[in-house]
Amino acid sequence: MWAASPAFRRQLFLLRLLSHPIVPVPGGGGCSSSSSSSSSGYLRAHAMAASALAGPVYEADAEAVVRRITPPLDLARHKGQAGKIAVIGGCREYTGAPYFAAISALKIGADLSHVFCTRDAATVIKSYSPELIVHPILEESYSVSDGERETISSKILIEVAKWMERFDCIVVGPGLGRDSFLLDCVSNIIRHARKANIPTVVDGDGLFLITNNLSLVEHNSLAILTPNVYEYKRLVQKVLNCEVNEENASEQLIALCQNIGGITIMRKGKADLISDGKTITQVSTFGSPRRCGGQGDILSGSVAVFSSWAQHFLLSNEHPTEKSANPMMLGCIAGSLLLRKAASLAFEKNKRSTVTTDIIGFLGKSLEDVCPADH
Amino acid sequence: MWAASPAFRRQLFLLRLLSHPIVPVPGGGGCSSSSSSSSSGYLRAHAMAASALAGPVYEADAEAVVRRITPPLDLARHKGQAGKIAVIGGCREYTGAPYFAAISALKIGADLSHVFCTRDAATVIKSYSPELIVHPILEESYSVSDGERETISSKILIEVAKWMERFDCIVVGPGLGRDSFLLDCVSNIIRHARKANIPTVVDGDGLFLITNNLSLVEHNSLAILTPNVYEYKRLVQKVLNCEVNEENASEQLIALCQNIGGITIMRKGKADLISDGKTITQVSTFGSPRRCGGQGDILSGSVAVFSSWAQHFLLSNEHPTEKSANPMMLGCIAGSLLLRKAASLAFEKNKRSTVTTDIIGFLGKSLEDVCPADH
């Protein structure tokens, strides 16, 4: 019955869009100063409404994606089967960001949410919520002597590696800080996750880390970067060796993905532009005009959950069209939509005083509105 | 008047059921691969609805049990008379689990709820709630030198022993972790509780501990194990030397109880299957399809309170049929029902975003619905 429904057909349409390669960008480098867009490849394209971007791009049917990849609730399932997420972040300075990412994962429907952070951060993050499992195992330079660095670095990796196989996705970066020793340790963790084929969402200071060491994510099809305007600018400068070009925004994003190779990037903005170097789409559902810090952390946690759900959905799906879709793209689309919807509801209620915790409080309702638990 | 009521008659019927020995399991070992169940002994049995288990088993009249064992509220009673519970758990990594177990005990109606945990965990657990009494006395290997081990181990036992006689029930395991020194100390605590005849609920990492050292609970009729699917699998492998057999689930559970001797086991699942090796029953009241971590901790705290209430109820009851019932079984039945009801209400409100704290928020209403405070 469901297979014949309009909703199902819309979802198939979207999945076909996602798996349909676009025509290569002329020049390929994404840094052409020409304003003429290569729109001939987008046979069904429409101009992106109310956007500063000049290139036409498909608006994702994000609600259909959410409905398609969100797993049905089933009494026969066990703890962990709806997702186990880990956030790598939290240091002496930052404790809110990893908490926001980790609790958002739970509020969307993951079963278990871990945080790997420094000792200083752990006590505080634990005290925010008894729902999280917080591992106080990272170290910053100030607490490690030069002679100890290697031993402690190995110990940290061993400790995280013990857990890694259990996770469906990790988020690297929220509240990570920029301490050199800590970032070295986190580089090892990213390499380990890659070897273990664990999808990895990189945000915040994690983007600072990978921008300076692109090999950490190059050709990793399970990596997602979620840069804001500043982080995106640094990435473009580093990878494409030019400035951000708003007139050819979509071509530049595609070129960025292609140059790094294999990864998915969600360029956050008024509209979130999402590409894996082969396809591009956007989510521009109305969100909130409030720009309080922490919304990016909600997004990274949400993208982690939805990407792992999309991966499970596609792996268990025999339909060839659906199988060819990129779960990382689907995760970004769904995460973007949910944050926007929750931010909109929180703003409607709290107006200028809206803070990140208010938005997290609306994640559940936003998901329920799009994809009722008994669907 | 109350003695003649239909509710009272239903409760008596249930208690009779519980005290009525079942026909011994053919083979006894619970590892037969035959799918034929020994249903001849269950003269009044009905098949377990909507379950993968093939063996017929009684559904407990769990509401009647809750009503029967929950003590009446009486202005003449003093602090402590409605129950004093202690949770042994909480280490550097885990703080949520012992909090969930301890606060659930209070929310159901216990008067005092203690937590014995490591120093690292204590500050955090205290910060979750001022309602709990938190003892920062356990130690993990990293904080103890080899030379100190024996002295510190004795000191910990002396410290816990000072309190032990005051408790109506202890819960061992939520957030205990797997540190070898800590587990050695907790083994001593379990032995001490047994000598002092204190009912002991074992869950989480406590099950890891006792699976590797069965003598800790063997032939202890005041011990309750509450394994989830993974913990149950390890127990079956260790004790029965075979795999879990879903077709003979009830026979296998009975065999497991008999082999360990004297204990009560609640096998958690879609339906919770409860046995003491002589009788078996189940609770399959609709709960919630959410499997967020922490629900097992609510259950262990609830079972602790209800088991101690059941024990007091049976000790003060002169009716021979009721006296022969096993209070540990009654505690499991009541705890299972209450968690399911609370989870159901929390899910109804919060849907996919339901977390353990939401469920704890509904324990009071769930109990009130079944057993009003002025009953």
Side-chain angles (χ1 to χ4, degrees):
Chain A
M1 181 198 81
W2 205 66
S5 73
F8 180 70
R9 287 197 300 274
R10 277 175 70 210
Q11 287 151 23
L12 270 187
F13 173 72
L14 168 89
L15 289 161
R16 274 196 295 273
L17 276 189
L18 286 173
S19 59
H20 176 69
I22 62 157
V23 170
V25 184
C31 278
S32 159
S33 61
S34 160
S35 64
S36 69
S37 65
S38 62
S39 60
S40 60
Y42 303 96
L43 298 178
R44 289 159 301 181
H46 58 269
M48 192 163 66
S51 163
L53 305 179
V57 70
Y58 296 115
E59 176 78 16
D61 187 351
E63 295 204 1
V65 170
V66 170
R67 279 190 289 269
R68 195 75 183 123
I69 65 178
T70 300
L73 290 162
D74 181 345
L75 286 171
R77 299 188 119 206
H78 306 302
K79 182 172 76 176
Q81 289 187 306
K84 298 180 289 297
I85 305 300
V87 177
I88 318 289
C91 61
R92 193 163 51 161
E93 250 167 350
Y94 304 114
T95 50
Y99 162 75
F100 289 143
I103 199 76
S104 297
L106 278 186
K107 292 279 182 173
I108 287 169
D111 285 342
L112 291 165
S113 195
H114 293 241
V115 176
F116 292 82
C117 60
T118 68
R119 268 180 297 174
D120 290 326
T123 311
V124 179
I125 299 172
K126 282 168 186 280
S127 75
Y128 290 148
S129 167
E131 313 286 347
L132 306 177
I133 299 165
V134 183
H135 306 260
I137 61 162
L138 300 182
E139 298 280 356
E140 291 181 78
S141 301
Y142 74 86
S143 64
V144 181
S145 71
D146 284 352
E148 293 175 321
R149 286 180 153 245
E150 209 165 319
T151 324
I152 291 182
S153 176
S154 305
K155 209 176 132 194
I156 289 171
L157 183 60
I158 289 167
E159 199 62 34
V160 180
K162 272 199 319 204
W163 291 89
M164 192 63 82
E165 296 281 352
R166 311 184 194 192
F167 297 131
D168 297 291
C169 189
I170 66 168
V171 181
V172 177
L176 197 57
R178 296 193 177 181
D179 178 78
S180 60
F181 177 72
L182 191 145
L183 290 184
D184 284 347
C185 295
V186 171
S187 299
N188 294 336
I189 294 170
I190 294 176
R191 288 188 198 98
H192 183 84
R194 184 180 189 155
K195 276 187 207 149
N197 286 321
I198 309 297
T200 301
V201 179
V202 185
D203 189 43
D205 294 319
L207 289 168
F208 169 81
L209 172 62
I210 68 101
T211 302
N212 294 322
N213 188 356
L214 288 165
S215 68
L216 289 171
V217 292
E218 269 169 352
H219 307 294
N220 180 4
S221 62
L222 298 178
I224 296 172
L225 316 185
T226 53
N228 63 21
V229 63
Y230 309 109
E231 292 153 352
Y232 187 73
K233 181 181 162 81
R234 280 195 294 270
L235 259 178
V236 167
Q237 287 170 340
K238 181 70 187 285
V239 178
L240 301 180
N241 202 25
C242 64
E243 293 304 316
V244 173
N245 177 352
E246 295 297 352
E247 290 188 343
N248 279 326
S250 52
E251 288 83 351
Q252 194 169 49
L253 176 58
I254 290 163
L256 187 64
C257 293
Q258 287 174 346
N259 270 266
I260 301 176
I263 63 163
T264 297
I265 298 179
M266 166 151 54
R267 178 193 166 172
K268 297 182 288 196
K270 191 171 173 185
D272 293 333
L273 206 54
I274 303 160
S275 178
D276 58 1
K278 289 179 280 187
T279 54
I280 190 160
T281 189
Q282 71 166 25
V283 179
S284 65
T285 307
F286 182 74
S288 154
R290 273 286 279 152
R291 292 289 174 265
C292 51
Q295 294 183 59
D297 306 310
I298 299 179
L299 186 68
S300 63
S302 310
V303 167
V305 176
F306 282 119
S307 301
S308 61
W309 283 353
Q311 210 181 23
H312 286 290
F313 169 72
L314 296 174
L315 283 172
S316 62
N317 195 297
E318 292 306 315
H319 195 289
T321 309
E322 295 207 353
K323 280 193 90 67
S324 66
N326 181 348
M328 304 297 114
M329 289 281 290
L330 301 184
C332 289
I333 293 166
S336 171
L337 177 79
L338 203 72
L339 171 62
R340 284 165 180 269
K341 285 200 164 282
S344 170
L345 291 171
F347 182 75
E348 200 177 303
K349 183 179 174 198
N350 301 283
K351 303 295 177 185
R352 286 178 195 275
S353 79
T354 306
V355 292
T356 298
T357 304
D358 300 321
I359 301 173
I360 291 171
F362 278 104
L363 288 172
K365 174 168 172 39
S366 303
L367 184 53
E368 184 64 15
D369 287 349
V370 176
C371 176
D374 55 1
H375 86 300
Chain B
M1 179 198 81
W2 205 66
S5 73
F8 180 67
R9 285 197 303 273
R10 276 176 71 210
Q11 287 152 23
L12 270 186
F13 173 72
L14 168 90
L15 290 161
R16 274 195 296 274
L17 276 188
L18 286 173
S19 59
H20 176 72
I22 60 156
V23 170
V25 184
C31 279
S32 161
S33 62
S34 160
S35 64
S36 68
S37 63
S38 62
S39 60
S40 60
Y42 303 95
L43 298 178
R44 290 159 300 177
H46 59 269
M48 193 161 69
S51 162
L53 305 179
V57 68
Y58 296 113
E59 176 78 16
D61 186 351
E63 295 206 1
V65 169
V66 169
R67 279 192 288 271
R68 196 73 183 125
I69 65 178
T70 300
L73 290 163
D74 182 343
L75 288 172
R77 298 187 117 206
H78 308 301
K79 181 170 79 176
Q81 288 188 304
K84 298 180 291 296
I85 304 299
V87 176
I88 317 291
C91 62
R92 189 164 55 159
E93 252 168 350
Y94 304 113
T95 50
Y99 163 73
F100 289 143
I103 200 74
S104 298
L106 278 185
K107 292 278 184 177
I108 287 170
D111 285 341
L112 292 164
S113 194
H114 293 242
V115 176
F116 292 83
C117 60
T118 68
R119 268 178 298 173
D120 290 327
T123 313
V124 178
I125 298 173
K126 285 168 186 279
S127 78
Y128 290 147
S129 168
E131 314 286 347
L132 307 177
I133 300 162
V134 184
H135 306 258
I137 61 162
L138 300 182
E139 298 280 356
E140 290 182 79
S141 301
Y142 73 88
S143 63
V144 181
S145 71
D146 284 351
E148 294 173 320
R149 284 180 155 243
E150 209 164 319
T151 324
I152 292 182
S153 176
S154 305
K155 210 175 129 194
I156 289 171
L157 183 60
I158 289 167
E159 198 61 35
V160 180
K162 274 199 317 206
W163 291 89
M164 191 63 84
E165 295 282 352
R166 311 185 193 189
F167 297 132
D168 296 292
C169 188
I170 66 169
V171 181
V172 177
L176 197 58
R178 296 193 177 182
D179 178 78
S180 60
F181 178 71
L182 192 145
L183 291 184
D184 284 348
C185 295
V186 171
S187 298
N188 293 336
I189 294 171
I190 294 176
R191 286 188 199 99
H192 182 84
R194 182 178 191 158
K195 275 186 207 150
N197 286 321
I198 308 297
T200 301
V201 179
V202 185
D203 190 43
D205 293 319
L207 289 168
F208 170 81
L209 172 63
I210 68 100
T211 301
N212 293 323
N213 188 356
L214 288 165
S215 68
L216 289 170
V217 293
E218 268 168 353
H219 307 295
N220 180 4
S221 62
L222 297 179
I224 296 171
L225 315 185
T226 54
N228 64 20
V229 61
Y230 308 109
E231 292 152 351
Y232 188 73
K233 181 181 161 80
R234 281 195 292 271
L235 259 178
V236 167
Q237 286 170 339
K238 181 69 187 285
V239 179
L240 301 180
N241 202 24
C242 65
E243 294 303 316
V244 173
N245 177 352
E246 295 297 351
E247 290 187 343
N248 280 327
S250 51
E251 288 83 351
Q252 194 169 50
L253 176 58
I254 291 163
L256 187 63
C257 294
Q258 287 173 346
N259 270 264
I260 300 177
I263 64 162
T264 297
I265 297 179
M266 166 151 55
R267 178 194 166 170
K268 296 182 289 195
K270 190 172 172 182
D272 293 332
L273 207 54
I274 304 159
S275 177
D276 57 2
K278 289 178 281 189
T279 55
I280 190 160
T281 188
Q282 71 166 24
V283 179
S284 65
T285 305
F286 183 74
S288 154
R290 270 287 276 154
R291 293 288 174 267
C292 51
Q295 295 184 60
D297 307 311
I298 299 179
L299 186 69
S300 63
S302 309
V303 167
V305 176
F306 282 120
S307 300
S308 60
W309 285 353
Q311 209 181 23
H312 287 291
F313 168 73
L314 296 174
L315 283 172
S316 62
N317 195 296
E318 291 307 316
H319 195 289
T321 308
E322 294 206 352
K323 281 194 86 68
S324 66
N326 180 349
M328 305 297 115
M329 290 281 290
L330 301 184
C332 289
I333 293 166
S336 170
L337 177 79
L338 205 71
L339 170 61
R340 285 164 179 269
K341 286 200 164 281
S344 171
L345 291 171
F347 183 76
E348 202 177 301
K349 182 179 175 198
N350 301 284
K351 305 294 179 182
R352 286 177 195 275
S353 75
T354 307
V355 292
T356 298
T357 304
D358 300 320
I359 300 173
I360 290 171
F362 277 104
L363 287 172
K365 174 167 171 40
S366 303
L367 184 52
E368 185 63 15
D369 287 350
V370 176
C371 177
D374 56 0
H375 86 298

